[in-house]
Amino acid sequence: MPYLRFPLRTVSPLINKGTSKIAELRTPSVIGQLRFWLRAILGAQLADSEAVYQQESMLLGSTSTASSVMMQLREHAIIEESVRVLPHSSDRRKSFEEESIFDNSSFDLKLIFRPGTTLDPRLAQALSLWLLLGGLGKRSRRMFGSIQLQSYPRPSKTFDQTDTNYPDWWANWEQIEKRPHLYARLVQLSLEIAFAENGQGRFSSEPTFPILHSDYCRVIVAEHGFDSAEKANIALFEVLRKDEYRNRHEYMFGSGKPRRASPLIAQGRVFGDKYYPVFTCFRSPIDNRGRADWDVVDAAMDELEDVFNGQTVFGGKLDK
């Protein structure tokens, strides 16, 4: 069966545990991330959440439908090390550590296509955006679990690389990695392509879940590099812990029962020897409120753009 093998590496500590309670790479965690980004893409196209579910099930499977692609993870050089989960906190009670798969650990993600199937363009978009904007594991919205391509994907002899669903940047990643100024443009183009193909214009009401729509999403790529993800994390919390954001906890930290995750995904990628943050923020209902104060989030994103010397590459103000 044709396959694509993605050589990946960690660029910040990855905390991910299964039943063994030790740090490990888990295929279900990767699938979960791809589901999130796929829903975000489909949500800009399909206003009906049931239609989104049907498309997602067709591509990644459900309890009643097999996935169109099988996924495998294979470890190579894995470095395990304990890390502070809350490096920004000076409180001794919050100085606890957990085992992690540390920076520069390498592994493969292998996509195996079933007979009669190929790489679907929506799955290719979800993969691209996860590799550019997403992470893996615990606190992956706070710069832990950052991963990126080590080199271009390795296809099997039976995989058709001329397929138009195969993004050019996958094959040219090594060149992009040598020129970090291209990263912001790459993110922008990837988002614009996904939105141009899937966007349906302005919705009549606020989307019920995070979607990659320019009216309900903002992405900032930092041009200020840090020596490590930990230092970038500390700089992030110097902004988020200010009273105007900390006292409105639900907007930048998440809240509710069951807990709603923060609207902000703070991640990063390494170019040269520097870690460059990237911030993705989604607008969707908070705590079932009819009208949330998204100006709080806009102010935080504006400040992050200023502090991290960033540029908005997709979307804009979320307080409509």
Side-chain angles (χ1 to χ4, degrees):
M1 289 186 286
Y3 66 80
L4 270 175
R5 181 170 59 85
F6 292 79
L8 303 174
R9 67 184 176 108
T10 59
V11 294
S12 72
L14 192 163
I15 304 171
N16 202 33
K17 299 178 181 180
T19 56
S20 63
K21 305 301 182 182
I22 61 173
E24 62 179 341
L25 292 166
R26 303 184 67 246
T27 304
S29 300
V30 174
I31 295 172
Q33 285 292 327
L34 294 181
R35 285 186 185 277
F36 174 87
W37 293 102
L38 181 61
R39 289 170 190 164
I41 291 168
L42 294 174
Q45 176 187 20
L46 305 168
D48 180 5
S49 59
E50 180 61 30
V52 171
Y53 173 75
Q54 290 173 358
Q55 293 289 319
E56 176 193 332
S57 298
M58 182 182 71
L59 293 172
L60 292 176
S62 68
T63 54
S64 59
T65 307
S67 173
S68 65
V69 60
M70 295 178 287
M71 300 187 195
Q72 297 176 353
L73 289 175
R74 180 184 178 187
E75 299 179 358
H76 291 295
I78 298 296
I79 306 165
E80 295 184 2
E81 186 170 318
S82 294
V83 296
R84 285 192 62 188
V85 178
L86 303 173
H88 60 278
S89 178
S90 58
D91 188 337
R92 288 187 177 182
R93 294 171 297 178
K94 298 181 179 180
S95 62
F96 58 90
E97 296 185 346
E98 291 195 31
E99 288 296 315
S100 75
I101 296 172
F102 206 60
D103 304 3
N104 289 316
S105 295
S106 62
F107 63 99
D108 286 346
L109 170 63
K110 190 174 183 180
L111 271 60
I112 306 168
F113 300 94
R114 297 184 184 278
T117 65
T118 187
L119 179 63
D120 187 278
R122 293 158 297 184
L123 183 56
Q125 289 172 357
L127 266 165
S128 289
L129 293 172
W130 173 58
L131 291 170
L132 292 172
L133 303 175
L136 191 62
K138 185 175 182 177
R139 294 191 68 76
S140 59
R141 291 183 181 233
R142 293 296 180 263
M143 298 187 185
F144 282 81
S146 301
I147 50 93
Q148 68 187 50
L149 281 171
Q150 286 200 92
S151 61
Y152 62 89
R154 272 37 178 200
S156 65
K157 292 181 180 179
T158 53
F159 181 83
D160 184 6
Q161 276 187 274
T162 63
D163 191 325
T164 56
N165 300 334
Y166 188 95
D168 289 341
W169 74 265
W170 289 359
N172 295 299
W173 175 251
E174 289 166 314
Q175 296 303 313
I176 294 166
E177 202 169 35
K178 295 174 184 176
R179 295 178 286 177
H181 65 280
L182 294 178
Y183 180 65
R185 182 59 178 155
L186 172 59
V187 171
Q188 182 179 35
L189 285 173
S190 298
L191 286 162
E192 287 177 349
I193 289 170
F195 181 62
E197 292 181 1
N198 301 318
Q200 65 167 15
R202 188 163 177 80
F203 285 74
S204 58
S205 61
E206 188 176 53
T208 57
F209 58 92
I211 67 171
L212 283 163
H213 189 292
S214 59
D215 284 340
Y216 306 101
C217 176
R218 180 177 178 182
V219 180
I220 296 171
V221 177
E223 295 182 359
H224 174 66
F226 291 81
D227 291 336
S228 67
E230 179 180 346
K231 291 183 177 180
N233 180 283
I234 292 170
L236 168 66
F237 275 90
E238 286 178 354
V239 175
L240 299 187
R241 288 171 64 85
K242 289 185 175 182
D243 288 345
E244 54 264 46
Y245 311 127
R246 185 172 56 183
N247 291 339
R248 310 296 296 280
H249 198 272
E250 65 273 24
Y251 292 100
M252 300 313 295
F253 294 93
S255 66
K257 292 183 180 181
R259 180 175 172 79
R260 181 197 191 279
S262 168
L264 174 67
I265 299 174
Q267 266 291 320
R269 299 296 180 262
V270 168
F271 298 97
D273 60 351
K274 297 293 184 181
Y275 182 93
Y276 293 86
V278 56
F279 305 103
T280 305
C281 197
F282 293 99
R283 172 177 172 165
S284 58
I286 289 183
D287 293 347
N288 297 316
R289 299 178 195 189
R291 176 70 174 88
D293 296 326
W294 286 96
D295 58 317
V296 176
V297 179
D298 282 334
M301 293 296 284
D302 288 344
E303 189 162 352
L304 290 174
E305 187 173 69
D306 181 59
V307 168
F308 288 83
N309 189 26
Q311 59 172 306
T312 295
V313 297
F314 184 77
K317 297 292 185 180
L318 299 174
D319 186 37
K320 305 295 182 182

